[in-house]
């Protein structure tokens, strides 16, 4: 079997099932090298502002190894948060025939990029950045040239969607070096619970005090600036949609401000952070899921995949990375201009004006996301490996 090393910052709930899939179906001997143990040990998440440890298995079904991290402030929130001096030697001990990087903008990865003989063992990269909010000026040009030089270290790149493809091309990655490996989640885990989440969701909504006859607009994630939950809150108050509630699920820096607003208005609810096993029920409580992010920080928005797996229509801003791929306007949801609260208000009103159509949009969501699977992600990886002669 061909040996592939994969370098990831830490165990991630979206990636671990893919690694298991690769080990069982792709005909590859993979080994994942982790640079930090967040997710499998209880640590503070800088976005949620609380201790997190995922409650689903992230290290089963595939071979892995942790590279000791000597950073005084370990994490992915800063460049120096991943410092793993033994990484190169650990990878070399595995004797891979190719190395796939899932990250690059950290101290350990730069050390690997400049210290690795890519002519002997090719490097691949899978990224999800985009330029949906394009920077301009001299600083932007300098950054473009720097990133272009980084990408020249890779023999092939895997892109997760249309905006990410455009990002690679902007940085002069040749079209022949690009392979489609879409962002996906563990679809099967969500689909397997589709028949039971409705009952669980109804019970949960009753516990939260949401009226039984109300449609629910859901935001679930980190309550932070880049995701713009306050835009959604303002839009909901302006929309004045009858028999409709707004539910925020999560935690983060904006939690106190949202709580203060919720206290002064009816039909707005705030639930705490929900761990992975409770996420199907969380999406099940929604009639429509909304992600109003602004800027380049929402590189894809995997919560959209999850919501669509459970047959939920979605409303996203045009800065959400998956907007060009997963959201078909007026077919399974709506796309609005990021930061435009008036446009978001109109989108909420339009979506909730026809409940029967909204349900149809949800059915379409499930069909669309059915094409974004680990099998499809693996196909792109295998094509890239074939291109680099592995």
């Amino acid at each position: 079997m061909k040996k592939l090393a994969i370098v990831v910052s830490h165990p991630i709930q979206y990636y671990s099932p893919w690694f298991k899939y690769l080990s069982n179906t792709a005909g590859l001997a993979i080994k994942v090298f982790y640079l930090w143990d967040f997710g499998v040990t209880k640590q503070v998440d800088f976005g949620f502002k609380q201790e997190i440890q995922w409650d689903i298995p992230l290290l089963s079904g595939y071979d892995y190894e942790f590279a000791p991290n000597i950073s005084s402030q370990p994490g992915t929130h800063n460049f120096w948060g991943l410092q793993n001096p033994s990484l190169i030697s650990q990878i070399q001990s595995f004797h891979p025939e190719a190395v796939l990087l899932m990250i690059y903008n950290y101290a350990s990865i730069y050390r690997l990029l400049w210290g690795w003989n890519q002519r002997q063992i090719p490097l691949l990269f899978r990224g999800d950045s985009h330029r949906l909010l394009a920077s301009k000026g001299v600083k932007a040009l300098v950054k473009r040239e720097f990133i272009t030089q980084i990408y020249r270290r890779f023999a092939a790149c895997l892109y997760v969607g249309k905006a990410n493809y455009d990002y690679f091309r902007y940085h002069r990655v040749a079209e022949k070096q690009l392979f489609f490996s879409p962002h996906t989640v563990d679809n099967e885990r969500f689909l397997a619970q589709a028949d039971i989440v409705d009952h669980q969701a109804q019970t949960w909504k009753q516990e939260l005090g949401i009226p039984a006859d109300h449609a629910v607009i859901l935001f679930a994630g980190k309550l932070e600036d880049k995701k713009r939950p306050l835009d959604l809150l303002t839009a909901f108050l302006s929309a004045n949609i009858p028999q409709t509630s707004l539910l925020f699920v999560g935690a983060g820096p904006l939690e106190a401000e949202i709580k203060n607003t919720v206290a002064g208005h009816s039909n707005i609810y705030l639930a705490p952070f929900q761990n992975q096993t409770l996420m199907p029920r969380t999406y099940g409580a929604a009639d429509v899921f909304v992600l109003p992010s602004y800027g380049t920080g929402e590189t894809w928005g995997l919560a959209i995949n999850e919501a669509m797996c459970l047959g939920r229509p979605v409303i996203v801003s045009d800065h959400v990375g998956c907007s060009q791929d997963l959201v078909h306007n007026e077919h399974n949801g709506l796309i609005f201009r990021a930061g435009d609260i008036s446009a978001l208000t109109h989108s909420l009103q339009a979506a909730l004006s026809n409940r029967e159509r909204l349900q149809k949009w949800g059915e379409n969501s499930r069909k669309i996301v059915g094409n974004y699977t680990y099998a499809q992600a693996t196909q792109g990886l295998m094509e890239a490996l074939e291109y680099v002669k592995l």
Side-chain angles (χ1 to χ4, degrees), residues 39-194:
V40 293
T41 61
K42 185 172 287 189
Q43 298 185 46
V44 173
D45 182 285
F46 278 80
F48 283 118
K49 299 298 182 183
Q50 65 182 57
E51 286 190 334
I52 298 294
Q53 181 178 356
W54 300 122
D55 62 355
I56 59 174
L58 298 181
L59 298 175
S60 62
Y62 63 95
D63 194 12
Y64 68 91
E65 190 174 308
F66 282 92
N69 186 3
I70 64 171
S71 173
S72 60
Q73 293 184 313
T76 55
H77 61 290
N78 72 94
F79 176 82
W80 299 105
L82 301 178
Q83 296 188 57
N84 312 80
S86 64
L87 176 61
I88 293 178
S89 62
Q90 287 181 250
I91 295 174
Q92 289 173 336
S93 295
F94 177 57
H95 301 293
E97 289 152 286
V99 180
L100 171 64
L101 304 185
M102 309 283 279
I103 53 172
Y104 81 81
N105 200 24
Y106 297 96
S108 278
I109 303 302
Y110 281 109
R111 189 178 296 115
L112 171 62
L113 287 174
W114 304 125
W116 192 262
N117 184 350
Q118 73 269 26
R119 294 180 182 274
Q120 183 178 3
I121 303 174
L123 298 175
L124 289 74
F125 177 65
R126 184 175 187 257
D128 58 6
S129 297
H130 60 70
R131 298 185 68 252
L132 295 175
L133 180 61
S135 300
K136 299 179 180 179
V138 174
K139 185 177 180 180
L141 290 175
V142 172
K143 183 177 180 180
R144 179 187 187 185
E145 291 305 316
F146 177 76
I147 295 175
T148 296
Q149 294 304 315
I150 293 293
Y151 287 161
R152 285 178 177 167
R153 307 291 291 181
F154 297 105
C157 293
L158 309 179
Y159 66 94
V160 299
K162 295 175 182 177
N164 183 221
Y165 173 88
D166 292 341
Y167 182 86
F168 280 125
R169 294 293 288 133
Y170 173 77
H171 291 99
R172 304 189 183 96
V173 179
E175 188 171 358
K176 66 179 182 180
Q177 293 177 277
L178 289 170
F179 301 88
F180 181 45
S181 179
H183 253 327
T184 181
V185 299
D186 190 357
N187 289 10
E188 296 303 318
R189 181 168 75 88
F190 287 88
L191 293 172
Q193 300 184 58

Side-chain angles (χ1 to χ4, degrees), residues 99-385:
V99 180
L100 171 64
L101 304 185
M102 309 283 279
I103 53 172
Y104 81 81
N105 200 24
Y106 297 96
S108 278
I109 303 302
Y110 281 109
R111 189 178 296 115
L112 171 62
L113 287 174
W114 304 125
W116 192 262
N117 184 350
Q118 73 269 26
R119 294 180 182 274
Q120 183 178 3
I121 303 174
L123 298 175
L124 289 74
F125 177 65
R126 184 175 187 257
D128 58 6
S129 297
H130 60 70
R131 298 185 68 252
L132 295 175
L133 180 61
S135 300
K136 299 179 180 179
V138 174
K139 185 177 180 180
L141 290 175
V142 172
K143 183 177 180 180
R144 179 187 187 185
E145 291 305 316
F146 177 76
I147 295 175
T148 296
Q149 294 304 315
I150 293 293
Y151 287 161
R152 285 178 177 167
R153 307 291 291 181
F154 297 105
C157 293
L158 309 179
Y159 66 94
V160 299
K162 295 175 182 177
N164 183 221
Y165 173 88
D166 292 341
Y167 182 86
F168 280 125
R169 294 293 288 133
Y170 173 77
H171 291 99
R172 304 189 183 96
V173 179
E175 188 171 358
K176 66 179 182 180
Q177 293 177 277
L178 289 170
F179 301 88
F180 181 45
S181 179
H183 253 327
T184 181
V185 299
D186 190 357
N187 289 10
E188 296 303 318
R189 181 168 75 88
F190 287 88
L191 293 172
Q193 300 184 58
D195 293 335
I196 62 173
V197 295
D198 285 343
H199 174 72
Q200 295 174 341
Q202 291 301 324
T203 301
W204 187 46
K205 287 192 289 185
Q206 186 176 10
E207 293 171 356
L208 293 172
I210 298 174
D213 61 343
H214 274 213
V216 174
I217 299 167
L218 174 67
F219 173 98
K222 295 175 181 177
L223 302 175
E224 58 185 354
D225 286 330
K226 77 173 185 181
K227 292 185 180 290
R228 302 293 273 247
L230 294 175
D231 284 8
L232 176 57
L233 180 55
T234 303
F236 176 77
L237 293 173
S238 299
N240 194 28
I241 307 169
Q243 292 183 294
T244 302
S245 291
L246 173 61
L247 173 60
F248 288 103
V249 179
L254 298 177
E255 183 175 355
E257 186 172 352
I258 292 173
K259 279 183 176 179
N260 290 337
T261 304
V262 168
H265 296 275
S266 60
N267 301 332
I268 306 175
Y269 303 84
L270 180 61
F273 164 82
Q274 305 290 297
N275 215 318
Q276 289 299 298
T277 57
L278 292 176
M279 288 311 297
R281 181 196 70 173
T282 302
Y283 295 116
D287 290 273
V288 61
F289 182 78
V290 183
L291 187 57
S293 304
Y294 187 97
T296 58
E298 196 69 76
T299 52
W300 179 262
L302 283 160
I304 297 299
N305 294 64
E306 293 178 334
M308 289 173 61
C309 279
L310 287 171
R312 267 45 192 178
V314 292
I315 299 174
V316 302
S317 81
D318 58 5
H319 286 182
V320 175
C322 70
S323 61
Q324 298 178 33
D325 303 87
L326 293 181
V327 188
H328 302 179
N329 213 36
E330 297 189 6
H331 180 70
N332 74 309
L334 297 169
I335 304 170
F336 70 95
R337 188 172 62 188
D340 188 337
I341 295 176
S342 176
L344 176 53
T345 301
H346 176 74
S347 294
L348 296 177
Q349 292 170 330
L352 275 300
S353 66
N354 187 327
R355 306 294 170 86
E356 184 177 340
R357 182 186 62 182
L358 196 62
Q359 185 174 357
K360 180 63 177 177
W361 285 0
E363 295 169 3
N364 293 338
S365 277
R366 185 180 283 119
K367 294 175 184 176
I368 293 168
V369 81
N371 293 317
Y372 287 74
T373 65
Y374 290 135
Q376 192 176 13
T378 300
Q379 180 180 341
L381 171 61
M382 299 306 290
E383 291 171 354
L385 292 173

Side-chain angles (χ1 to χ4, degrees), residues 14-22 102 126 181 374 377-378 381:
Y14 307 117
Y15 293 167
S16 293
W18 185 36
F19 300 152
K20 182 177 180 179
Y21 180 93
L22 286 173
M102 309 283 279
R126 184 175 187 257
S181 179
Y374 290 135
T378 300
L381 171 61

